[in-house]
């Protein structure tokens, strides 16, 4: 009966209990527990049965679900998400508006971290129900920390979307903003829960946690952390997900051993080389300038220890999902709602993000530039909003000028007969109309930067 209840709560997603994972008596693979008709299992002649949104979790969380807390969120009722006012003064007034919280309010601040291009902003957008964070296949799309607010019934989830963690040497080499160095570290300090995202479709990224991620986790071991294996829909052999989990968790989830059947590697399989630092600890620290240096307290011994490990043995739970799948993300959202603690809301329920309308606009335009322009072209460009006003028929008229540094880039931005810049403007306007809930007419023009 308990399993059937849990299955319904998780939309028939597969669940893996920490107790069964830790059982040393299991001769075959340890991943075995069916929720309803779904399963996340491995071994025997039946191979690996995988249902997206399955997760390895603790008994405490399962108990919370079965007490009915998650059942309060009726997934059959669609809640229209908040939107961003197209007027800056309205957005400021909304951000300053006193929270309309109920007497038994709950809150949870979630920091989403990971290597560049892991899918952090895509997950945040899916959770919020609107596209307020820029998303592209290129790295460093998110340039600074942005905040999203998800409010349902008596619970408010604060999503802290961060830039991909990078090193000081890379930031200096590619002339990246200091926010890419500082924001992820500062964000984790204020979080109640840390979500570490890993792109499992990338063979290199899934072989071990990014060293900067490990440093961030080691510096804040008191903050609960969960592992989200993203883009599982792109992994053909689902059986390797358990091996990836064991690797990235050092074989431990919620203090219990994860036992998976050893993989027999072919003779030609090469051993992954040990992690080698680009810089020594002293050089790495010296690469930070002015106030960009995070308050690192890790000793040389601890850093050396982290370099020798591929995963983090203190994850509370592990999710396997696709951040573009609404049902998958719904399972994670229910997890957040149950994990929330009693506390005062930070914002009014109508707030969707702390970004200004102009910031949302420039971020969406940058997303399109990254999507359609090659190599370093979009990274070298800057934007300036020239016009922002209401049109005669209630639409929003926006004019943005793109400043280009090189002559050779101008032709790429404009395209044949102006088709490229027109396409970027059209698609960005469509996205913005869904954020502002108004028709948007966006005009883009390009100019050489002096």
């Amino acid at each position: 009966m308990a399993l059937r209840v849990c299955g319904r709560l998780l939309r028939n997603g597969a669940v893996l209990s920490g107790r069964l994972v830790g059982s040393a008596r299991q001769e075959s693979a340890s991943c075995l527990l069916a929720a309803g008709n779904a399963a996340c299992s491995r071994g025997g002649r039946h191979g690996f049965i995988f249902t997206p949104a399955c997760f390895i979790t603790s008994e405490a969380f399962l108990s919370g679900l079965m007490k009915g807390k998650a059942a309060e969120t009726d997934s059959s009722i669609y809640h229209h998400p908040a939107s961003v006012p197209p007027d800056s003064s309205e957005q400021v007034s909304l951000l300053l508006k006193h929270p309309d919280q109920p007497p038994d309010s709950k809150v949870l601040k979630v920091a989403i971290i990971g290597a560049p291009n892991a899918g952090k902003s895509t997950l945040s957008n899916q959770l919020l129900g609107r596209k307020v964070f820029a998303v592209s296949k290129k790295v460093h799309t998110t340039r600074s920390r942005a905040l999203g607010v998800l409010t349902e019934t008596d619970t408010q989830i604060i999503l802290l979307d961060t830039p991909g963690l990078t090193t000081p040497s890379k930031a200096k080499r590619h002339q990246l903003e200091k926010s890419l160095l500082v924001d992820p570290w500062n964000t984790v300090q204020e979080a109640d829960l840390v979500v570490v995202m890993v792109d499992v479709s990338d063979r290199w990224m899934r072989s071990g946690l990014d060293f900067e991620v490990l440093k961030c986790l080691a510096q804040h071991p008191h903050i609960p952390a969960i592992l989200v294996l993203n883009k599982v829909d792109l992994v053909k052999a689902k059986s390797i997900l358990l091996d990836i989990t064991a690797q990235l968790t050092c074989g431990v989830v919620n203090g219990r051993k994860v036992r998976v059947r050893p993989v027999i590697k072919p003779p030609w399989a090469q051993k992954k080389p040990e992690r080698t630092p680009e810089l020594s600890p002293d050089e790495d620290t010296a690469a930070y300038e002015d106030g960009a240096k995070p308050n690192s307290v890790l000793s040389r011994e601890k850093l050396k220890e982290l370099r020798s490990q591929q995963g983090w043995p203190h994850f509370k739970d592990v999710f396997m999902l696709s951040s573009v799948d609404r049902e998958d993300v719904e399972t994670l959202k229910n997890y957040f709602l149950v994990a929330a603690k009693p506390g005062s809301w930070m914002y009014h329920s109508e707030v969707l993000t702390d970004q200004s309308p102009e910031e949302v606009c420039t971020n969406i335009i940058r997303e399109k530039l990254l999507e359609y322009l090659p190599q370093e072209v979009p990274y070298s460009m800057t934007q300036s909003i020239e016009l922002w006003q209401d049109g005669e028929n209630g639409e929003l008229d926006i004019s943005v000028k793109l400043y280009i540094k090189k002559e050779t880039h101008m032709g790429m931005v404009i395209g044949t007969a102006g088709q490229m810049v027109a396409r970027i403007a059209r698609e960005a306007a469509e996205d913005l109309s869904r954020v502002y809930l108004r028709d948007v007419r966006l005009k883009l023009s390009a100019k050489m930067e002096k």
Side-chain angles (χ1 to χ4, degrees):
M1 177 61 184
L3 291 181
R4 288 198 296 273
V5 171
C6 189
R8 287 198 301 271
L9 293 174
L10 296 176
R11 305 174 64 88
N12 292 327
V15 182
L16 186 60
S17 166
R19 179 177 57 189
L20 295 182
V21 175
S23 175
R25 297 189 182 92
Q26 297 214 179
E27 296 179 0
S28 61
S30 63
C31 300
L32 184 61
L33 177 60
N37 295 322
C40 181
S41 59
R42 178 184 182 186
R45 289 181 298 177
H46 302 291
F48 181 83
I49 306 172
F50 172 79
T51 300
C54 75
F55 65 97
I56 302 171
T57 186
S58 61
E59 292 180 45
F61 179 65
L62 288 178
S63 299
L65 283 174
M66 287 185 274
K67 284 178 183 177
K69 298 304 291 182
E72 296 173 4
T73 307
D74 187 355
S75 59
S76 65
I77 301 175
Y78 179 73
H79 301 279
H80 287 283
S83 61
V84 179
D87 184 84
S88 294
S89 60
E90 290 183 25
Q91 173 70 341
V92 172
S93 298
L94 190 56
L95 290 170
L96 296 176
K97 199 172 181 179
H98 192 273
D100 54 339
Q101 62 190 29
D104 54 347
S105 62
K106 292 179 291 184
V107 68
L108 184 73
K109 288 183 286 186
V110 181
I112 305 176
I113 68 171
N117 212 26
K120 301 180 290 297
S121 296
T122 301
L123 176 64
S124 297
N125 287 334
Q126 194 71 265
L127 286 165
L128 294 172
R130 292 202 194 279
K131 186 176 182 178
V132 295
F133 302 122
V135 176
S136 82
K137 296 178 182 178
K138 290 189 173 75
V139 298
H140 301 311
T141 305
T142 302
R143 313 297 285 185
S144 60
R145 192 201 79 161
L147 182 146
V149 183
L150 170 64
T151 304
E152 289 207 3
T153 60
D154 61 350
T155 306
Q156 189 167 87
I157 308 298
I158 309 298
L159 299 174
L160 307 170
D161 186 44
T162 65
L165 283 157
T166 188
T167 64
S169 56
K170 290 179 181 178
K172 189 174 183 179
R173 185 187 316 141
H174 301 292
Q175 298 180 335
L176 301 175
E177 297 97 318
K178 293 178 182 179
S179 57
L180 273 76
L181 286 173
V182 179
D183 284 5
W185 292 79
N186 291 343
T187 298
V188 170
Q189 293 177 9
E190 60 181 290
D192 302 315
L193 177 70
V194 176
V195 174
V196 177
M197 291 199 72
V198 175
D199 177 4
V200 293
S201 69
D202 187 314
R203 293 189 177 185
W204 173 259
M205 299 307 298
R206 74 191 186 198
S207 63
L209 290 179
D210 185 89
F211 183 59
E212 294 300 309
V213 171
L214 281 174
K215 284 166 60 179
C216 200
L217 291 171
Q219 191 161 311
H220 307 283
H222 60 287
I223 303 177
I226 66 172
L227 174 65
V228 172
L229 304 183
N230 188 29
K231 306 183 185 181
V232 296
D233 54 316
L234 302 180
V235 178
K236 293 182 179 180
K238 297 295 190 285
S239 58
I240 67 171
L241 292 174
L242 296 178
D243 299 312
I244 294 172
T245 299
Q247 178 102 337
L248 300 182
T249 62
C250 297
V252 179
V253 177
N254 196 40
R256 298 178 182 273
K257 292 276 188 179
V258 177
R259 291 172 54 85
V260 295
R261 182 181 300 176
V263 178
I264 301 176
K265 297 183 179 180
W268 46 263
Q270 295 182 354
K271 183 179 179 182
K272 183 177 180 293
E274 291 188 6
R275 201 191 308 264
T276 55
E278 289 190 0
L279 298 173
S280 67
D282 289 339
E283 291 172 320
D284 194 50
T285 301
Y288 289 99
E289 296 178 2
D290 303 326
K293 179 183 174 182
N295 300 319
S296 179
V297 294
L298 299 178
S299 64
R300 284 177 172 271
E301 291 73 19
K302 184 61 179 179
L303 289 172
K304 185 177 181 181
E305 178 187 337
L306 290 177
R307 292 196 186 280
S308 66
Q309 66 187 61
Q310 301 299 320
W312 180 249
H314 305 295
F315 284 119
K316 297 296 182 183
D317 304 287
V318 179
F319 280 77
M320 305 175 192
L321 51 76
S322 169
S323 60
V324 298
D325 189 291
R326 182 176 171 183
E327 290 192 5
D328 283 10
V329 175
E330 191 73 16
T331 303
L332 183 60
K333 184 175 79 172
N334 287 338
Y335 179 93
F336 292 156
L337 293 173
V338 172
K341 304 297 182 184
S344 300
W345 287 1
M346 295 177 62
Y347 299 95
H348 191 276
S349 60
E350 295 178 4
V351 173
L352 180 65
T353 179
D354 65 344
Q355 300 174 90
S356 69
E358 292 82 3
E359 286 175 326
V360 173
C361 177
T362 54
N363 286 338
I364 294 298
I365 292 173
R366 186 174 67 252
E367 170 193 307
K368 305 305 177 186
L369 295 173
L370 288 167
E371 181 100 13
Y372 293 116
L373 298 179
Q375 301 173 355
E376 82 283 359
V377 177
Y379 295 102
S380 63
M381 296 170 59
T382 56
Q383 302 178 42
S384 174
I385 297 177
E386 305 290 314
L387 176 69
W388 190 289
Q389 67 179 23
D390 295 330
E392 295 180 358
N393 299 317
E395 70 277 3
L396 180 63
D397 287 329
I398 303 174
S399 178
V400 177
K401 186 160 289 184
L402 306 175
Y403 289 93
I404 302 170
K405 292 184 177 181
K406 297 182 180 179
E407 291 270 4
T408 53
H409 293 174
M410 181 65 77
M412 300 179 192
V413 175
I414 301 300
T416 305
Q419 291 181 353
M420 177 58 72
V421 72
R423 179 179 185 179
I424 292 172
R426 182 178 64 254
E427 294 189 9
E430 291 172 356
D431 285 350
L432 292 172
S433 66
R434 286 187 284 268
V435 175
Y436 303 139
L437 300 184
R438 288 178 62 179
D439 289 335
V440 174
R441 291 191 306 194
L442 175 62
K443 178 184 176 183
L444 293 181
S445 58
K447 182 179 180 181
M448 288 298 301
E449 184 176 342
K450 295 180 180 179

